[in-house]
Amino acid sequence: MQELQQQAAAQQASPQQQEQARQEMEAQKKQAMMQILTPEARGRLANLRLTKPELVEQIELQLIQLAQMGRVKSKITDDQLKHLLTNLVGQKREINITRK
């Protein structure tokens, strides 16, 4: 019974703590992106975030993991980011419509 009461109390205080933790995580992620990406590449990700925020989150997490593993030797340029994006998104299917 006490465990349930403790869980209920934790859930009530939890939304504020969760929001604070989320903000801290975002700040850390932003700092990491500033170290990993050039300004042009960060601008491209910011533009892409407007249309595909889930994809940008996935890319940011992958870049942070690569940096933590030591696989990123220098800042990632805009061209390198474009190449990474094309690899992740894959080839688009081209649809041609012919009218008769």
Side-chain angles (χ1 to χ4, degrees), residues 14-95:
S14 180
Q16 292 174 347
Q17 291 173 348
Q18 287 177 351
E19 180 63 24
Q20 185 178 2
R22 188 187 63 76
Q23 288 176 353
E24 289 175 10
M25 181 184 278
E26 288 296 321
Q28 290 174 354
K29 190 186 308 182
K30 185 176 179 181
Q31 183 66 27
M33 288 296 107
M34 290 183 77
Q35 293 175 355
I36 296 171
L37 300 173
T38 62
E40 295 84 14
R42 284 195 313 268
R44 180 171 299 279
L45 275 184
N47 289 337
L48 187 59
R49 184 183 304 277
L50 297 174
T51 57
K52 298 182 180 181
E54 303 86 21
L55 178 64
V56 173
E57 290 292 325
Q58 178 186 8
I59 292 168
E60 287 177 341
L61 291 176
Q62 287 182 353
L63 290 174
I64 290 170
Q65 288 175 349
L66 287 173
Q68 287 175 344
M69 292 184 336
R71 296 185 66 193
V72 177
K73 302 298 180 200
S74 62
K75 286 192 172 191
I76 296 174
T77 64
D78 190 41
D79 290 333
Q80 291 171 329
L81 183 62
K82 284 182 195 177
H83 183 70
L84 178 66
L85 288 170
T86 55
N87 288 343
L88 286 177
V89 173
Q91 299 295 328
K92 289 185 179 179
R93 289 192 330 192
E94 190 170 320
I95 300 172

